[in-house]
Amino acid sequence: MRENYMVDMERGCGLALLLAIAAIAAACASDSNNICQWHGEVPKMQRRIIDISHAYRHDLPVWDSSTPLGSPVHLQHSFANGSLFNLSELKMGCHTGTHVDAPSHFLQEAYEEGLDVNSLDLEILNGLVLLVDTPREENITAHTMEKLNIPFGVERVLFRTLNSDRRLMWRTNFESSFSGFTKDGAQWLVDHTSIKLVGLDYLSVATYEEAAETHRILLRKQGIILLEGLDLDDIEVGIYVLHCLPMRLINAEGSPIRCILTK
Ligand SMILES: *[C@@H]1O[C@H](CO)[C@@H](O)[C@H](O)[C@H]1NC(C)=O
Ligand SMILES: *[C@@H]1O[C@H](CO)[C@@H](O)[C@H](O)[C@H]1NC(C)=O
Ligand SMILES: *[C@@H]1O[C@H](CO)[C@@H](O)[C@H](O)[C@H]1NC(C)=O
């Protein structure tokens, strides 16, 4: 089960309140920051944080590989080497674990236009999101999308599939029979919804067999962002606030991403 961060956050708020009162006393004399408007009342945060990113574990499955990730972090300097500090280097594929795809991943013209991960719109990556369960007996086809009946106006959707039940992100071997969007499912989404962000619970939003063409359908529509390899275990379906921040990797067509939901 997931840890509940509520308790820690409240303790954090208590400390923040004390610090804030001390700061207000000091700052009220010359209140250039407008701190005195709080009158000692610090707004209380009532919020639960749900982490939907996977840790970069050594046993994390890697696309099309029977060898799991291993350690992407390599110690370059340490006491053992006569250094005064530890300093590591990070080395892994940009589409490892929980990550985001940029249009340049599958579209040559997008690559030429510089539509890399650094160009992704943070307004789309952050905001209200709907978490839905998909019918387990099928991939996400046009028929599935029709049945899901996602209201027009919804811009961000996380699709929890059979992948979560099968715990595929917890297996060391890549599993090509994972569930995802088919071409017609992707086309239906583009034609009939206002969705700008699609998230899924395995390493690709598109099925293995139709991966390239399905990605192209989704990425071609300017402004659809794809989140892959999300951890959607043990979360109730419903509406949350999504917060996602990719790394600003120039020219990269993908990036590791930290995503959380708040309620
Ligand atoms: C220490 O230095 C050696 C030789 O330069 C290198 O092979 C090794 O990886 C380093 N190990 C650590 C922990 O820094
Ligand atoms: C650095 O890492 C090594 C090896 O993991 C560890 O033994 C050491 O205490 C760490 N700290 C420093 C400051 O090197
Ligand atoms: C989804 O498609 C894959 C082929 O890419 C297939 O192996 C799998 O069985 C399909 N899943 C379902 C639930 O039909």
Side-chain angles (χ1 to χ4, degrees), residues 9-185:
M9 283 187 56
E10 270 167 10
R11 203 182 298 137
C13 284
L15 179 60
L17 184 64
L18 284 178
L19 290 174
I21 289 167
I24 286 164
C28 277
S30 60
D31 190 20
S32 55
N33 288 321
N34 254 339
I35 289 171
C36 288
Q37 69 183 350
W38 288 356
H39 299 297
E41 292 275 319
V42 178
K44 204 166 156 56
M45 249 196 305
Q46 276 295 350
R47 197 179 54 171
R48 194 162 73 93
I49 294 178
I50 304 165
D51 199 335
I52 56 169
S53 296
H54 278 280
Y56 293 93
R57 309 180 310 264
H58 70 277
D59 59 348
L60 200 65
V62 173
W63 181 262
D64 241 350
S65 166
S66 55
T67 315
L69 177 61
S71 177
V73 175
H74 305 277
L75 203 53
Q76 303 291 300
H77 299 278
S78 71
F79 269 156
N81 270 16
S83 179
L84 294 176
F85 46 81
N86 274 344
L87 193 142
S88 298
E89 184 185 64
L90 178 66
K91 200 168 187 180
M92 64 179 187
C94 291
H95 299 258
T96 305
T98 306
H99 68 277
V100 64
D101 283 356
S104 56
H105 189 27
F106 278 97
L107 301 170
Q108 181 59 25
E109 63 275 22
Y111 184 80
E112 281 152 17
E113 283 171 47
L115 297 178
D116 58 11
V117 284
N118 189 42
S119 75
L120 295 176
D121 189 350
L122 293 180
E123 298 286 349
I124 297 176
L125 284 161
N126 295 273
L128 286 178
V129 69
L130 181 66
L131 170 65
V132 297
D133 266 319
T134 64
R136 298 310 198 233
E137 65 281 5
E138 58 201 34
N139 275 304
I140 308 176
T141 62
H143 175 244
T144 319
M145 283 303 293
E146 215 172 334
K147 268 200 299 197
L148 283 172
N149 201 18
I150 294 162
F152 200 83
V154 171
E155 296 194 323
R156 302 172 196 83
V157 183
L158 307 181
F159 296 86
R160 181 170 51 201
T161 72
L162 187 61
N163 301 334
S164 290
D165 303 353
R166 296 174 72 196
R167 296 189 64 74
L168 295 189
M169 287 296 286
W170 299 93
R171 292 192 196 174
T172 53
N173 278 9
F174 175 74
E175 177 53 70
S176 64
S177 71
F178 69 88
S179 303
F181 274 84
T182 59
K183 281 187 288 186
D184 72 325

